[in-house]
Amino acid sequence: MATGKINVSVENIFPLIKKFLYSDHEIFLRELISNATDATLKLKHLTSIGEAKLEYGNPMIEVKVDKDKKRIHIIDQGIGMTEEEVKKYINEVAFSGAEEFLDKYKDAGKDAGIIGHFGLGFYSAFMVAEKVEIITKSFKDEPAVHWICDGSPEFTLQEAKKEERGTEIILHVAEDSTEFLEDSKIRELLTKYNKFMPIPIKFGTRTETLPKPEGAAEDEPAPTKVVDDIINNPNPAWTKQPTDLEDEDYKKFYRELYPMQFEEPLFHIHLNVDYPFNLTGILYFPKLTNDLNIQKDRIQLYQNQVFVTDNVEGIVPEFLTMLRGVIDSPDIPLNVSRSYLQADGAVKKISSYITRKVADKLSSLFKNNREDFEQKWNDIKVVIEYGMLSEEKFFEKAEKFALYPTVDGSYYTFEELEAKIKDSQTDKDDKLVVLYASDTEAQHSYIEAAKAKGYEVLLMDSPIVPHLIQKLETSKENLSFVRVDADHIDNLIKKEDTAISKLSEEEKETLKGEIEEVVKDRGYTIQMEAMDSSASPFIITEPEFIRRMKEMQRTGGGGMFGMGNMPDMYNLIVNTNHELVNEILNTKTAKKRERLINQSLDLARLSKGLLKGEELTKFIARSYEMIK
Ligand SMILES: Nc1ncnc2c1ncn2[C@@H]1O[C@H](COP(=O)(O)OP(=O)(O)OP(=O)(O)O)[C@@H](O)[C@H]1O
């Protein structure tokens, strides 16, 4: 038996390994299974090129937990190691790797998230074990060896009896890590990190129900068989060629990724590039709600089929983090901080590649089946609108497929919309005015007024609309968006012809004074307008600019500082051509005038959804009195 001392400058590296990555202790299993996988794939390679003269067969990796003896075994059938190789790879290479790791990252230990993604390699075993054994037999014709190390830099190395090729790692689990002796914990980790690794991983057995033999009695139980429980799918969909996959395969894989998701994805995008960087993956568009905060199943990042994280911030442009699926790339550096990641050239290229692929897919979906795309619009618009706002390149590409639905359910691209409304909705200053509503119920009367004029009204109801229209207005010339309740209809799109007022200037002044007297404490700005006699006598409007700025502030970013908390501002428009307004003017008694004004104002508020609570109760009681 040989004993030796591992040559390291840190006197005892293991307590340090334990101290770091405290919350990430669980990665030891991922690291050891990755090594076992590498060893198996190396053997596959050597047999394929004829360097290892043996049958590759169907090797698997087995994980076993012996709770009584407090041990975890990881057994592979890979290339194994000779004594020389153990000395070299374990005592020197692996150790220096661990040392280097600690040196580099002990100060960066607090850079949340990233550090645990960097493999400590073999020595991460000491994060949970007080003693580690390696029993390994190389594929070369040499005796097996047994290496034991108890966490000090001393180790023993002796010949072992192992006959089969491969490596067995035995972890003697430390007292403070006994949670890893629970089957359920190990299963959880295997499913989290190793679900799609390329070599089958066995963890215990399971009972499979077989079909009943023909002619079996109905009450006879179906026969069963005990089989290896393989926890992974070694050939996940993203590793295959898109041409080899059907739509159903993509859906099946989605269910595999998110077993708790019962809703089908709307469509998928298969990513596949090998130059100038390597990346494969599948992204899915799920049905998204308008609530941006509740989307919880996230894109998973893999490196060569090993799960790394589900936090892809910095790698995928932010607007696409709402999607689901997987990205697998060996080219994404993980042992660095997020801020570095965002500045990294390769990562930037990856991010813009993904953006382009998503835009191309949306474009082809739109072209190939517009009807279907329109039907899905409501579920995907948040991502697209968000992308248009945050990525200039995407904004340009989205011109072709971004849709603008009307309150009547027609969908236009911006170009189509422009062509459709150009004649009717260009104002006297040559500005194209796009009318929109955010709520068809609440803004019903305003929508009707616009439709009566032959105008189109868009329905724009996602939370980022104020930002989006701001962006559209600044990127196109002579364009403005106004919500239907921002002013009375003739003011929304001002044309040359000035309406004739039935009231003289003097009469208007008198009336304005009288109305002001009655409504003076309610904060309305009164606007006397000569409108169509069939339009409502009193209308309450909410000026576009201030409302939009406030909304932008509330949804974050943009707008004007401090405006989010300002009270809502309303205008009261009085239609001087309406009969009732004329009557108010000519009413003899002040009491009756006041009553007419109040009743008209309440009706206008009712129409705008502003009449609530006690005021609504009073209004109803008063109305009953009137018709009695
Ligand atoms: N199960 C195994 N079978 C054969 N060789 C192994 C096995 N585990 C580890 N080794 C050898 O030990 C070396 C060191 O392993 P370690 O995990 O520390 O580093 P690595 O795998 O090279 O890199 P990293 O894990 O940091 O990506 C490996 O490169 C390999 O040669």
Side-chain angles (χ1 to χ4, degrees):
M1 185 174 87
T3 56
K5 198 163 176 210
I6 294 159
N7 186 21
V8 281
S9 54
V10 185
E11 188 40 45
N12 194 342
I13 204 167
F14 304 104
L16 281 173
I17 290 178
K18 281 199 123 158
K19 214 174 94 205
F20 288 111
L21 310 174
Y22 186 75
S23 60
D24 278 321
H25 277 183
E26 61 181 39
I27 62 150
F28 79 94
L29 190 60
R30 178 189 73 184
E31 295 299 315
L32 297 178
I33 291 182
S34 292
N35 283 350
T37 304
D38 290 348
T40 314
L41 291 173
K42 274 180 205 159
L43 184 72
K44 187 179 185 179
H45 178 68
L46 292 179
T47 49
S48 75
I49 59 168
E51 211 160 287
K53 305 230 177 315
L54 48 89
E55 194 61 39
Y56 176 65
N58 292 307
M60 63 161 81
I61 295 164
E62 183 173 6
V63 179
K64 285 199 284 200
V65 177
D66 185 337
K67 201 171 173 181
D68 295 337
K69 290 194 178 134
K70 298 190 178 161
R71 290 178 192 172
I72 300 172
H73 302 249
I74 295 121
I75 307 155
D76 69 59
Q77 298 156 11
I79 50 168
M81 285 177 275
T82 62
E83 185 179 337
E84 283 314 301
E85 285 165 344
V86 171
K87 282 181 184 160
K88 185 171 167 202
Y89 295 129
I90 300 300
N91 295 342
E92 291 171 25
V93 176
F95 220 108
S96 61
E99 199 185 12
E100 191 190 325
F101 171 83
L102 287 176
D103 256 9
K104 237 176 172 167
Y105 297 106
K106 60 185 165 209
D107 300 326
K110 294 290 159 291
D111 190 352
I114 279 291
I115 202 160
H117 302 149
F118 179 66
L120 244 186
F122 170 74
Y123 273 93
S124 62
F126 287 100
M127 296 200 298
V128 300
E130 56 193 15
K131 183 164 99 180
V132 178
E133 295 179 58
I134 304 174
I135 304 167
T136 180
K137 173 148 176 49
S138 166
F139 75 100
K140 296 171 195 158
D141 192 19
E142 285 194 40
V145 279
H146 190 164
W147 178 93
I148 306 172
C149 183
D150 68 358
S152 70
E154 269 122 61
F155 65 90
T156 65
L157 188 61
Q158 65 191 93
E159 224 177 279
K161 284 209 179 54
K162 187 174 165 63
E163 296 293 332
E164 340 63 77
R165 176 197 71 234
T167 302
E168 173 167 5
I169 309 280
I170 306 169
L171 308 179
H172 297 256
V173 174
E175 271 318 310
D176 60 3
S177 298
T178 48
E179 57 173 314
F180 296 109
L181 291 168
E182 299 300 329
D183 275 5
S184 57
K185 181 71 187 175
I186 296 296
R187 185 171 291 276
E188 177 198 319
L189 297 185
L190 291 172
T191 332
K192 177 171 172 187
Y193 291 108
N194 310 98
K195 199 172 167 184
F196 299 113
M197 286 190 69
I199 305 293
I201 301 163
K202 174 186 170 179
F203 185 55
T205 54
R206 63 187 172 83
T207 310
E208 211 173 70
T209 309
L210 301 170
K212 279 193 200 181
E214 238 172 84
E218 211 166 281
D219 53 356
E220 196 178 304
T224 57
K225 191 171 100 180
V226 175
V227 294
D228 289 344
D229 194 359
I230 304 295
I231 57 91
N232 56 332
N233 167 6
N235 303 302
W238 84 82
T239 61
K240 300 179 185 168
Q241 286 302 316
T243 43
D244 295 336
L245 295 164
E246 303 282 336
D247 222 28
E248 191 41 47
D249 298 317
Y250 286 105
K251 286 184 184 156
K252 206 173 129 214
F253 180 60
Y254 184 77
R255 290 191 287 269
E256 219 178 311
L257 269 182
Y258 307 108
M260 303 313 282
Q261 268 297 336
F262 300 108
E263 210 152 18
E264 301 253 291
L266 296 169
F267 50 84
H268 63 263
I269 300 164
H270 200 131
L271 308 168
N272 199 345
V273 34
D274 46 31
Y275 185 82
F277 51 82
N278 251 297
L279 182 131
T280 48
I282 300 173
L283 294 179
Y284 292 94
F285 261 76
K287 269 194 173 177
L288 292 172
T289 60
N290 273 352
D291 185 350
L292 300 178
N293 298 321
I294 58 163
Q295 332 287 352
K296 55 186 181 316
D297 280 321
R298 309 200 283 183
I299 297 175
Q300 302 178 359
L301 177 67
Y302 288 76
Q303 277 200 348
N304 297 321
Q305 296 175 241
V306 186
F307 173 82
V308 179
T309 174
D310 62 1
N311 182 358
V312 292
E313 195 190 315
I315 297 160
V316 162
E318 200 190 337
F319 77 102
L320 294 176
T321 55
M322 285 184 271
L323 304 191
R324 301 199 179 123
V326 294
I327 289 173
D328 189 337
S329 174
D331 293 338
I332 297 170
L334 296 168
N335 51 342
V336 293
S337 70
R338 291 219 173 265
S339 49
Y340 178 85
L341 204 59
Q342 272 152 0
D344 185 80
V347 174
K348 268 196 188 145
K349 279 200 195 106
I350 288 177
S351 169
S352 62
Y353 163 78
I354 295 173
T355 307
R356 197 175 67 238
K357 279 293 270 194
V358 170
D360 290 349
K361 176 78 181 190
L362 289 166
S363 196
S364 82
L365 284 168
F366 173 72
K367 252 193 250 143
N368 298 339
N369 191 347
R370 175 158 181 167
E371 201 181 321
D372 185 55
F373 191 80
E374 287 180 358
Q375 265 165 21
K376 287 173 176 158
W377 178 254
N378 209 28
D379 298 312
I380 59 176
K381 66 180 181 209
V382 186
V383 178
I384 299 177
E385 290 170 352
Y386 193 10
M388 290 169 73
L389 269 178
S390 54
E391 300 280 326
E392 202 50 42
K393 282 252 160 60
F394 189 80
F395 181 80
E396 286 160 23
K397 291 200 163 230
E399 186 85 24
K400 285 201 215 84
F401 54 77
L403 291 179
Y404 299 86
T406 69
V407 288
D408 299 319
S410 302
Y411 290 81
Y412 299 116
T413 61
F414 194 82
E415 206 181 281
E416 291 164 351
L417 179 74
E418 202 174 6
K420 171 102 187 160
I421 65 174
K422 203 167 66 215
D423 292 339
S424 58
Q425 294 182 217
T426 301
D427 73 6
K428 62 181 174 49
D429 301 321
D430 232 14
K431 223 176 193 179
L432 185 71
V433 182
V434 178
L435 300 178
Y436 71 99
S438 58
D439 183 333
T440 48
E441 294 283 304
Q443 292 146 11
H444 185 266
S445 63
Y446 303 85
I447 296 171
E448 288 304 306
K451 284 210 261 178
K453 289 258 174 193
Y455 298 152
E456 287 285 348
V457 180
L458 300 184
L459 177 62
M460 302 187 84
D461 57 0
S462 53
I464 47 180
V465 153
H467 300 266
L468 181 66
I469 57 187
Q470 192 78 9
K471 163 114 187 134
L472 287 164
E473 283 177 353
T474 44
S475 67
K476 296 182 191 299
E477 267 172 35
N478 271 339
L479 171 71
S480 77
F481 279 77
V482 268
R483 207 169 84 178
V484 276
D485 58 352
D487 205 330
H488 81 81
I489 194 68
D490 296 333
N491 272 353
L492 289 179
I493 307 176
K494 274 203 176 112
K495 300 285 174 72
E496 284 301 354
D497 42 281
T498 43
I500 300 154
S501 176
K502 286 186 189 166
L503 302 189
S504 68
E505 284 307 309
E506 210 184 335
E507 284 171 322
K508 274 201 231 167
E509 273 312 300
T510 320
L511 183 62
K512 191 174 179 196
E514 281 168 353
I515 295 172
E516 252 160 8
E517 186 60 31
V518 178
V519 306
K520 64 175 182 282
D521 299 329
R522 315 232 195 136
Y524 293 105
T525 307
I526 295 170
Q527 209 179 311
M528 308 300 279
E529 299 283 350
M531 295 163 65
D532 200 300
S533 61
S534 63
S536 300
F538 279 31
I539 302 167
I540 290 171
T541 60
E542 212 178 340
E544 176 74 16
F545 178 74
I546 296 174
R547 197 209 73 245
R548 195 193 296 178
M549 291 300 139
K550 280 196 315 199
E551 283 175 355
M552 285 170 77
Q553 270 257 302
R554 271 186 230 132
T555 46
M560 280 189 179
F561 183 72
M563 284 185 81
N565 298 326
M566 268 171 56
D568 291 335
M569 283 169 82
Y570 298 105
N571 290 351
L572 172 61
I573 293 179
V574 178
N575 178 3
T576 54
N577 287 343
H578 196 279
E579 223 185 299
L580 180 66
V581 173
N582 199 32
E583 196 181 323
I584 293 173
L585 179 70
N586 296 320
T587 300
K588 297 277 172 312
T589 66
K591 207 165 161 221
K592 186 172 176 204
R593 187 181 316 117
E594 194 180 326
R595 213 180 63 215
L596 285 175
I597 292 172
N598 274 326
Q599 189 71 3
S600 303
L601 177 66
D602 279 355
L603 283 165
R605 294 169 76 201
L606 194 62
S607 167
K608 174 92 179 123
L610 292 172
L611 199 58
K612 291 182 188 128
E614 192 185 346
E615 287 182 316
L616 180 60
T617 312
K618 276 190 182 158
F619 167 79
I620 291 167
R622 184 165 11 103
S623 301
Y624 278 132
E625 273 309 309
M626 279 182 184
I627 56 172
K628 230 173 25 189

